[in-house]
Amino acid sequence: MAKITAISEDGILFDVLQTGDDVLSFSGRPFTDILDYIFADSLEEGEITFVRNGEKKTVSFRNEGGTLGLSFDESVEITPRSCGNNCIFCFVAQLPKGLRKTLYVKDDDYRLSFTCGSYITGTNLQEKDIERILYYKLSPLYISVHATDKEVQKKMLRCRKDFDQLAFMKRLIAGGIRLHTQIVMVGGVNDGAVLQKSLEELYDAGVETVAVVPVGLTKHRENLPALHPVTKEEAANAITLCERFYERHRYFCYCSDEMYQRAGMDVPSASYYGNYDQIENGVGLIAKFFEDMEDALLSAPKLVWRTVGVFTGVSGESTMQKAKEILEKKYPRLHINIYVVKNEFFGESVTVTGLVTATDILKQYGKQKTKDRYYMIPSVMLKEFGNQFLDNMTVEEVSKRLGKKIVVSQASGDGFVRAVTRGR
């Protein structure tokens, strides 16, 4: 049951429903969250069952390109479902205290997978959830697989439930749901022959894509399974395996950019990544960065005369060096200083730029005196739609302590060009 808080005047039910009405269902389906309303709003016809002054009523509607125009109280918002697994590599379990509260939420919610692209295992789904996915055609979904070998998967997820994930995915695919999957690779656990088997079985099942990413391990692993960061050799072997599979099944499987960086290898060109279906998983980011950068330079200013400082994580250094060379060649009076931040906060095995904290920036560069007009940081260092670093410090606080303006650049090639050449 959800209470109507407002009705749009151009809504087709403006003269039928009232604020304060409690909606029970749409066309016989219980109103559980906002997805039910979104689906009902897209129907050409249907019914709404509601309660007004204790009396239950049902009204029919026809919607010919309009909208129901309803707003509801907070009860319809999606509250993330918790993960029931205890993965050997769970990143949340490796976090120190004092970070943003939302970082400690172990979500495993199919609704967020559909709306936001977050990865789920499916182990916490009930039959009614699966039926709802199929009924509403919630596609695509993003599934964390890690291994199709049941014993290896059980070892990695440490889930108490007996769950046949491959059969679950096949059922969704048969119902018209497109699936993108990921494998978090742990050296000596799910690489090699296990990885090969996973790729083969996922392809045979009809999965759209697979991203293979290296496990992320912080220094805060007290009382957790003994694991090691993916080595250069392990990364190179995984890349070779995936690229050979890719040769037979184009646009199906990819290693993340970080895997290539760990192997000390160049990432493929932009054409390798197709529609960039796995870019949010760090697959093809570098290729797209330079592709967008090339396009952005076509409309960039003709003259740029300044010195700019750029903060990056260890794994982003090579990308920033290449970007620096391109821009400084085009603009002889431009100078870019690259400041590589080692991750002492989480541990130096964590090298990605998105996990750089304000604490490490200030600790490593807080006392430096430079000629930079301003500093640049990529938006991936900050809370989405916010200005907080992972350790809760704001951009304004860091700027004040560094004594310079900080420009936040979008983590894209055009965003980088705009921040360097225009200071915004």
Side-chain angles (χ1 to χ4, degrees):
M1 182 181 295
K3 192 177 295 295
I4 297 175
T5 58
I7 306 176
S8 173
E9 291 187 7
D10 60 357
I12 63 174
L13 297 174
F14 180 71
D15 295 324
V16 178
L17 298 177
Q18 300 176 6
T19 57
D21 288 346
D22 292 311
V23 177
L24 300 176
S25 64
F26 296 100
S27 301
R29 296 190 66 85
F31 189 9
T32 56
D33 59 49
I34 195 63
L35 290 182
D36 295 301
Y37 171 69
I38 293 172
F39 182 81
D41 197 43
S42 68
L43 296 177
E44 292 183 0
E45 59 182 35
E47 294 180 341
I48 296 180
T49 300
F50 60 98
V51 175
R52 179 184 299 164
N53 299 325
E55 183 181 355
K56 184 177 177 181
K57 299 182 179 183
T58 297
V59 296
S60 299
F61 66 84
R62 289 190 61 83
N63 187 356
E64 299 177 352
T67 177
L68 300 180
L70 305 179
S71 298
F72 301 92
D73 59 23
E74 294 180 355
S75 66
V76 304
E77 298 303 320
I78 296 176
T79 301
R81 292 187 182 182
S82 296
C83 178
N85 308 316
N86 187 22
C87 296
I88 59 175
F89 54 82
C90 177
F91 200 78
V92 176
Q94 305 176 68
L95 295 178
K97 296 180 180 179
L99 305 182
R100 298 195 306 264
K101 290 183 179 180
T102 53
L103 295 174
Y104 300 100
V105 177
K106 288 177 59 175
D107 65 276
D108 195 8
D109 196 313
Y110 73 92
R111 300 166 300 176
L112 296 180
S113 182
F114 171 67
T115 58
C116 304
S118 58
Y119 279 84
I120 62 171
T121 61
T123 58
N124 64 356
L125 293 178
Q126 299 178 26
E127 178 60 26
K128 65 179 182 180
D129 298 318
I130 299 174
E131 291 178 354
R132 190 177 189 228
I133 291 171
L134 294 170
Y135 181 81
Y136 284 155
K137 299 294 183 185
L138 301 183
S139 178
L141 292 180
Y142 298 81
I143 311 293
S144 287
V145 177
H146 311 316
T148 58
D149 183 286
K150 290 184 179 180
E151 290 304 312
V152 176
Q153 187 183 73
K154 186 176 181 180
K155 176 182 177 180
M156 297 185 74
L157 296 182
R158 297 195 294 184
C159 176
R160 297 178 182 178
K161 180 180 179 181
D162 185 16
F163 181 66
D164 190 337
Q165 190 185 54
L166 198 57
F168 157 70
M169 290 192 292
K170 288 180 179 178
R171 181 180 174 187
L172 293 184
I173 292 168
I177 309 301
R178 297 169 55 233
L179 300 181
H180 296 285
T181 62
Q182 73 167 355
I183 293 173
V184 175
M185 196 184 88
V186 180
V189 179
N190 63 337
D191 53 352
V194 177
L195 176 58
Q196 179 72 37
K197 178 183 178 181
S198 295
L199 294 180
E200 291 172 353
E201 293 189 336
L202 290 172
Y203 181 81
D204 290 342
V207 161
E208 296 279 322
T209 64
V210 182
V212 182
V213 304
V215 65
L217 303 174
T218 79
K219 65 181 181 181
H220 306 281
R221 290 190 55 81
E222 297 81 5
N223 302 316
L224 295 175
L227 304 177
H228 67 266
V230 171
T231 65
K232 182 176 182 179
E233 182 180 6
E234 289 170 339
N237 289 339
I239 290 169
T240 299
L241 190 156
C242 286
E243 289 189 343
R244 285 176 179 171
F245 201 89
Y246 179 98
E247 289 174 1
R248 291 184 285 121
H249 307 294
R250 195 167 175 82
Y251 305 130
F252 174 69
C253 61
Y254 309 89
C255 281
S256 68
D257 293 2
E258 186 184 2
M259 193 75 84
Y260 282 90
Q261 291 167 332
R262 286 178 180 266
M265 300 168 61
D266 291 334
V267 300
S269 63
S271 61
Y272 184 86
Y273 296 100
N275 294 323
Y276 293 104
D277 290 317
Q278 289 274 6
I279 196 164
E280 295 296 329
N281 215 355
V283 174
L285 276 171
I286 294 174
K288 186 127 188 358
F289 180 92
F290 287 110
E291 184 179 46
D292 291 346
M293 187 174 170
E294 184 177 342
D295 290 340
L297 285 174
L298 297 176
S299 58
K302 294 183 178 180
L303 178 65
V304 177
W305 189 348
R306 65 184 57 166
T307 300
V308 179
V310 178
F311 287 108
T312 184
V314 172
S315 62
E317 181 179 10
S318 59
T319 300
M320 290 298 97
Q321 287 288 355
K322 183 177 177 180
K324 166 186 167 77
E325 292 170 6
I326 292 172
L327 286 174
E328 288 184 348
K329 183 177 180 180
K330 179 176 177 64
Y331 300 112
R333 294 182 176 180
L334 169 67
H335 184 67
I336 300 173
N337 291 314
I338 298 173
Y339 302 116
V340 180
V341 184
K342 293 182 179 179
N343 205 318
E344 298 176 14
F345 190 91
F346 290 112
E348 292 190 18
S349 65
V350 176
T351 61
V352 294
T353 301
L355 292 177
V356 168
T357 62
T359 299
D360 282 335
I361 291 176
L362 293 173
K363 183 177 180 181
Q364 295 169 39
Y365 296 102
K367 296 181 180 180
Q368 71 177 2
K369 302 296 181 182
T370 73
K371 295 182 180 180
D372 300 302
R373 182 182 296 186
Y374 52 84
Y375 293 136
M376 284 172 47
I377 63 168
S379 58
V380 293
M381 288 186 186
L382 306 176
K383 180 180 180 181
E384 189 174 16
F385 309 120
N387 70 337
Q388 290 175 295
F389 288 84
L390 287 167
D391 49 2
N392 270 327
M393 211 173 299
T394 66
V395 173
E396 290 76 17
E397 290 173 316
V398 176
S399 175
K400 184 176 181 180
R401 292 178 62 174
L402 290 175
K404 284 189 187 294
K405 175 185 176 182
I406 292 180
V407 172
V408 179
S409 134
Q410 291 301 309
S412 60
D414 53 342
F416 183 81
V417 170
R418 186 165 54 251
V420 169
T421 62
R422 304 180 188 275
R424 55 183 172 83

